[in-house]
């Protein structure tokens, strides 16, 4: 606390990201992709003319936005890019959710959303998940100042299909519906094809998971031209050049390699289902997942103790110390070898 | 305008950065360095193991902050880093200037400051420059909610020495004094040595100008631990990982090459003084500059027309269409060859 801070800063409760360990661990805690990015990324870096770095990047990031527009079958004016999807989400909260009516979000979802609300002084209400740990879309209030959820949801892994999203959008027409699709490429169904019909739908995505580029910080939003313009107004009042030249070139190279993308996400999906079966055999309850992580609990073992036991064996997973989630561990899907180490350690701990 | 925007978004007037032309021009409009970054940057990129990019970067950017702390003789806890100094400035406005009393800034300074004020709903007052186009530090109100100015100032180029800054800090003790030193390495005197004595002093810097890395987006702030903590609270409520792994590695390589840094800035200073003499000989008034640009006007020629004439000849400079600055052109310092082209064109236009 300091007398020099803006008064509102004293009230902030920052988001706490998963640990980035400095020692060598089997790292299954922040949903990173276990496979490297597309080989074209290496070519971009080794052949990069560094003289270009003395110049500012394109403030509109047109080349990257064109590549994303092509990938998703939309116009370039329907694409917004930012320094990771966390930045895109923050700017979207600022651009759309500072309304008279409170924002609605699931009680269990990406825990950065309430942090943005405190930063921008946005009131919000939460919606309990249903008995199957799913977001009950039909329970969202049409009079909300906005709606936000992750789909597939985090850290549960459940995702709604496009039909369910369509029913929500038919009902909620007067506020922005923000769908965070960070994990959609591991088996979910994207709502992006719906942006043409629903001007209040904004879908965010990231290069951090399915493109194996968490280190490069690239996120995006796709929506109607009027929503993208709102984001641009806020962005251009905050930082003219959020996407650096290297990140843009690397992101474009990743988008160009469809084969690598498909191969990596299929491997993750196969390993996820295999891990799910093995954990079920060890007595764990494993929630069905369309993401690159699984949420698991064991009826006879304390999750916090399992977390510590795994850590002692060099394996890092995520434990959220909240009332709703403290019985669970969230485990990112690594390589088959990494998951073998996990299963072996858990066999000792629960066997 | 859209019914889906937060009401405050309708009131925003975004910052307009200098044009980033797509055709090939002598580009003297956005104060980029005409010389490439340190050769070590190329080694970093060509040897980079792309597998590392699948992992999130260090959210605390410790390696880069250590390198900056060493460079500036401060503790790592006194260093904050961001995605370009524009982001660092925006977060500082949020962290320190949302106060009951209005912020004070010069009437002529970096034009992004009033944009941040609108974004964060900060009231501000402006202070006229004195007869020599200098910021009259003694006229800043001690009861301000904060004070911000660029030193050297933009787009005038005048910088105050450390003694003058000390006198200001002896007088203004109850609010944050934010000094933007984007241009200090071209002949200014940094206030960083004063942060040890004045807990309300925050100094920002950038890799975009003197380190030739505008394309990489790296900025920083140096101040007391309590100010850096305020910035961290806001940053961690906005974006956990603003600095990507490549940018961090590139920035560290640039900091390691003192010889390259000194050689480039000395060349810029020499070219600036040579250009100043030549423009004076052509009848221009050239304000004294400690930056990598000069602000010039001609008693007999309209600046807007000169801007157009230069553009027709393939030379891009900056013209600000404001009442105070419309008689001036701001010219970035390029290579000697580029400045020869400029002088040649101006000889035709004013000769």
């Amino acid at each position: 606390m300091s007398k020099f801070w803006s008064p509102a800063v004293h009230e902030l409760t920052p988001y706490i990201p998963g640990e980035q360990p400095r020692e060598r661990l089997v790292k299954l805690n922040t949903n990173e992709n276990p496979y490297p990015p597309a080989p074209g990324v290496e070519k971009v870096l080794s052949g990069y003319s560094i003289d270009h770095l003395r110049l500012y990047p394109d403030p509109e990031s047109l080349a990257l936005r064109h590549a994303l527009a092509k990938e998703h079958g939309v116009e370039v004016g329907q694409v917004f890019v930012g320094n990771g999807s966390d930045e895109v989400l923050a700017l979207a909260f600022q651009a759309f959710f500072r309304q008279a009516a409170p924002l609605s979000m699931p009680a269990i979802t990406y825990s950065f959303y309430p942090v943005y609300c405190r930063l921008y002084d946005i009131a919000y209400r939460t919606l309990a998940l249903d008995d199957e740990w799913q977001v009950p879309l039909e329970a969202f209030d049409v009079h909300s100042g906005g709606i936000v959820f992750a789909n597939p949801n985090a850290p549960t892994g459940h995702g709604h299909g496009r039909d369910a999203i369509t029913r929500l959008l038919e009902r909620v027409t007067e506020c922005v519906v923000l769908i965070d699709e960070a994990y959609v490429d591991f088996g979910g169904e994207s709502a992006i094809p719906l942006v043409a019909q629903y001007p209040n739908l904004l879908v965010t995505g990231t290069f951090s998971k399915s493109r194996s580029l968490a280190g490069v910080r690239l996120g995006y939003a796709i929506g109607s031209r009027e929503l993208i313009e709102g984001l641009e107004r806020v962005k251009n009042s905050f930082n003219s050049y959020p996407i650096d030249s290297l990140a843009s070139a690397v992101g474009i190279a990743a988008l160009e390699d469809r084969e690598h993308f498909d191969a990596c996400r299929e491997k993750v999906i196969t390993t996820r289902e295999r891990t799910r079966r093995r954990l079920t055999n060890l007595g764990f309850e494993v929630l069905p997942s369309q993401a690159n992580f699984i949420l698991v609990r064991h009826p006879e073992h304390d999750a916090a103790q399992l977390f510590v036991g795994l850590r002692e064996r060099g394996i890092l997973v995520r434990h959220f110390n909240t009332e709703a989630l403290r019985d669970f561990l969230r485990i990112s899907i690594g390589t088959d070898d990494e998951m073998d180490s996990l299963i072996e350690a858990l066999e000792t701990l629960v066997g």
Side-chain angles (χ1 to χ4, degrees), chain A residues 132-201:
Chain A
E132 293 183 311
W133 298 88
Q134 301 182 8
V135 180
L137 297 182
E138 67 288 354
F140 275 122
D141 184 348
V142 293
H143 300 297
S144 302
I147 289 174
V148 60
F149 58 99
N151 195 51
N153 197 19
T156 58
H158 173 266
H160 284 289
R162 204 174 294 145
D163 288 348
I165 302 296
T166 302
R167 285 193 296 276
L168 173 69
L169 291 166
E170 284 295 323
R171 201 166 59 80
V172 178
T173 57
E174 297 304 304
C175 69
V176 170
V177 175
L178 170 49
I179 303 182
D180 175 352
E181 294 190 348
Y183 299 105
V184 78
D185 294 326
F186 301 104
E189 192 173 27
S190 176
I192 291 174
L194 303 176
V195 299
Q197 289 146 265
Y198 301 98
N200 61 327
L201 170 63

Side-chain angles (χ1 to χ4, degrees), chain A residues 90-239:
Chain A
L91 298 176
F93 273 61
Q94 236 180 327
F96 307 121
F97 295 153
R98 290 181 298 162
Q99 305 285 355
L103 177 67
S104 294
M105 68 177 79
I108 297 176
T109 189
Y110 184 32
S111 57
F112 219 136
Y113 304 153
V115 174
Y116 299 135
C117 288
R118 284 187 288 269
L119 183 64
Y120 299 120
D121 200 20
I122 295 165
Y124 67 95
R125 282 187 305 211
T126 61
L127 197 65
L129 298 194
D130 67 18
D131 292 346
E132 293 183 311
W133 298 88
Q134 301 182 8
V135 180
L137 297 182
E138 67 288 354
F140 275 122
D141 184 348
V142 293
H143 300 297
S144 302
I147 289 174
V148 60
F149 58 99
N151 195 51
N153 197 19
T156 58
H158 173 266
H160 284 289
R162 204 174 294 145
D163 288 348
I165 302 296
T166 302
R167 285 193 296 276
L168 173 69
L169 291 166
E170 284 295 323
R171 201 166 59 80
V172 178
T173 57
E174 297 304 304
C175 69
V176 170
V177 175
L178 170 49
I179 303 182
D180 175 352
E181 294 190 348
Y183 299 105
V184 78
D185 294 326
F186 301 104
E189 192 173 27
S190 176
I192 291 174
L194 303 176
V195 299
Q197 289 146 265
Y198 301 98
N200 61 327
L201 170 63
L202 189 73
V203 178
T204 57
T206 177
F207 286 69
S208 297
K209 318 292 183 187
S210 55
R211 304 281 175 185
S212 305
L213 287 172
V216 168
R217 318 307 306 123
L218 281 176
Y220 54 94
I222 293 177
S224 61
R225 183 72 199 120
E226 70 183 286
L227 296 192
I228 300 304
E229 272 179 22
L231 285 169
E232 286 169 351
R233 286 176 77 92
V234 175
K235 172 259 182 189
N236 289 324
S237 295
F238 174 75
N239 190 357

Side-chain angles (χ1 to χ4, degrees), chain A residues 16 107-111 114 133 154-155 295 302-304 318-329:
Chain A
I16 299 167
I108 297 176
T109 189
Y110 184 32
S111 57
W133 298 88
L295 193 67
D302 180 73
R318 190 93 194 255
H319 180 242
F320 299 93
N321 200 13
T322 63
E323 198 183 326
L325 293 173
R326 75 164 55 99
D327 292 342
F328 289 92
L329 294 176

Side-chain angles (χ1 to χ4, degrees), chain A residues 267-285:
Chain A
K267 278 193 282 187
V268 168
I269 291 169
T270 304
T271 303
R272 179 186 70 211
E273 295 309 313
R274 182 167 162 264
T275 305
R276 199 181 155 201
R277 287 190 299 275
R278 296 171 80 189
L279 287 172
T280 305
N281 290 341
L282 284 176
F284 282 91
E285 178 189 357

Side-chain angles (χ1 to χ4, degrees), chain A residues 40-72:
Chain A
V41 169
E42 186 159 354
K43 270 191 211 135
V44 164
L45 295 183
S46 60
Y48 203 85
S49 164
I50 65 163
D51 184 58
H52 187 62
L53 295 179
R54 69 182 182 80
L55 301 173
Y56 281 98
D58 172 13
E60 296 185 61
S61 301
L62 272 179
L64 178 61
R65 288 167 62 211
H66 268 294
L68 280 163
K70 190 177 153 209
E71 174 73 14
H72 293 289

